[in-house]
Every structure is written in structure tokens, then in C-alpha cells.
Amino acid sequence: QVQLVESGGGLVQPGGSLRLSCAASGSIFSIGAMGWYRQAPGKQRELVAAITRAGSAANYADFVKGRFTISRDNAKNTVYLEMNSLKPEDTAVYNCNDRSGSLSWGQGTQVTVSS
């Protein structure tokens, strides 16, 4: 089973930026499409962005369109999430997983947007 380790979160002011990384212990190319998810306190986990196997196409939840960018480096088995213009409502634990969320979840990385 592939292990996923997320990093890059932290405390940032509204309007700030962060870059998250998700390192996999195995081949993400073999896995296929990958996604970033988030879960805020008291809320269900939601899909934020997804990217195809080769990285040629991505789609985003409406609430992050134009602000977040997902990318991947298959040679490094790493998926990234560039987050700009962060808002307090982006505060959540962020995880990566495959497009269907079928892999074991990592511990995630906490993103807190607050002044």
C-alpha cells in the first residue's frame, strides 16, 4: 500500500500563499489521477483539485478556482498544491489521495488562514 506524506502547511495571513507537497512511497504514475482534499473542523472532507495521470489536465472546486493550482512530478512521486489569495475559509487539514480517495489517508497538513 502506498504511503502518502503531506507537508507545507502552516499559519498564513489572509491573502497569503502556501505550497503544499504530497510525497508518495510508490509510483503515482501507476496510481493515476491524484487529488487534494481538505477537511475543516465539523465539516466533511471535500475534493479541492484533481489532476490527470500525466498532469495534462486539472479540475478545481469552484471555491478555489483561480487561486489554487495542482501539479505533479511523476519522477519524484510528488503532488503539489500552490495556494494563493488564501482566505480564512480555506483553513482545514489538507490531504492528497487518488481521485477516488481509495488509498490510505496520510496525516495531512494543517493550513490556518488568520490575521
Side-chain angles (χ1 to χ4, degrees), residues 42-57:
K43 295 187 177 181
Q44 288 191 332
R45 182 179 283 129
E46 57 188 356
L47 179 66
V48 173
I51 188 166
T52 55
R53 183 191 304 268
S56 56

Side-chain angles (χ1 to χ4, degrees), residues 21-38:
S21 298
C22 169
S25 62
S27 170
I28 60 171
F29 182 81
S30 299
I31 292 171
M34 295 290 294
W36 277 98
Y37 301 76
R38 72 184 187 186

Side-chain angles (χ1 to χ4, degrees), residues 48-72:
V48 173
I51 188 166
T52 55
R53 183 191 304 268
S56 56
N59 56 69
Y60 300 89
D62 286 344
F63 49 80
V64 302
K65 274 182 182 176
R67 301 189 297 123
F68 290 12
T69 302
I70 187 172
S71 61
R72 64 193 289 163

Side-chain angles (χ1 to χ4, degrees), residues 4 22-30 73-80:
L4 301 168
C22 169
S25 62
S27 170
I28 60 171
F29 182 81
S30 299
D73 186 333
N74 289 334
K76 295 182 178 179
N77 293 318
T78 303
V79 185
Y80 304 98

